[in-house]
Amino acid sequence: MPDTMLPSAFADLEGFAPTWCLATETERWNTRISSTQPQLREFYDAFFPRLEEAIEYCDKFDLDDLPEDALNLLHLIYSLVLVAMAVEIMHQPIPVDGADAVMIRTDAPMP
């Protein structure tokens, strides 16, 4: 396994990669709801200002032929989408009045 998961231009986000570079929406959801709000906020504050740059980086490649580090960055972007809802709108990891909210996808677009 390589020492780094992300492209070198995003080395400052490497500490978040093991937690948030997740291949499925279900994994991202479960990580979000098992995280604390301060953990979500830390990830959000570190990555949100770099979001456009990350999207531009990933856009350089064909979606079906992403290098592994770019695919990990794309997964980090997907995680930020779920985390942003908790940070910007709900102000907590779990949806309000969501009962026992779960997210299980049997099929999802890839990557």
Side-chain angles (χ1 to χ4, degrees), residues 10 12-13 16 40-55 73 76-77 79-85 87-88:
F10 298 91
D12 58 311
L13 301 171
F16 297 104
L40 298 179
R41 179 52 114 169
E42 179 185 14
F43 172 55
Y44 177 89
D45 287 347
F47 190 29
F48 188 78
R50 310 271 321 270
L51 179 59
E52 290 299 322
E53 181 185 354
I55 292 169
L73 183 61
L76 206 66
I77 292 168
S79 289
L80 183 64
V81 171
L82 282 181
V83 168
M85 294 291 289
V87 170
E88 296 175 1

Side-chain angles (χ1 to χ4, degrees), residues 6-7 10 21 47 54 57-58 69-77:
L6 300 173
F10 298 91
C21 290
F47 190 29
Y57 183 89
C58 290
D69 60 350
L71 180 59
N72 287 333
L73 183 61
L74 183 61
H75 290 160
L76 206 66
I77 292 168

Side-chain angles (χ1 to χ4, degrees), residues 23 78 105 107-111:
Y78 293 163
R105 292 234 184 208
D107 191 24
M110 292 293 166

Side-chain angles (χ1 to χ4, degrees), residues 1-8 11 14 17 68-69 72:
M1 184 168 146
D3 292 338
T4 60
M5 295 176 68
L6 300 173
S8 61
E14 194 67 43
E68 186 175 351
D69 60 350
N72 287 333

Side-chain angles (χ1 to χ4, degrees), residues 1 16 22 30 33 38-39 56 64 67 78 80 85 97 108:
M1 184 168 146
F16 297 104
L22 304 168
N30 290 338
I33 65 171
Q39 290 169 324
E56 288 174 12
D64 294 325
Y78 293 163
L80 183 64
M85 294 291 289
D97 296 326

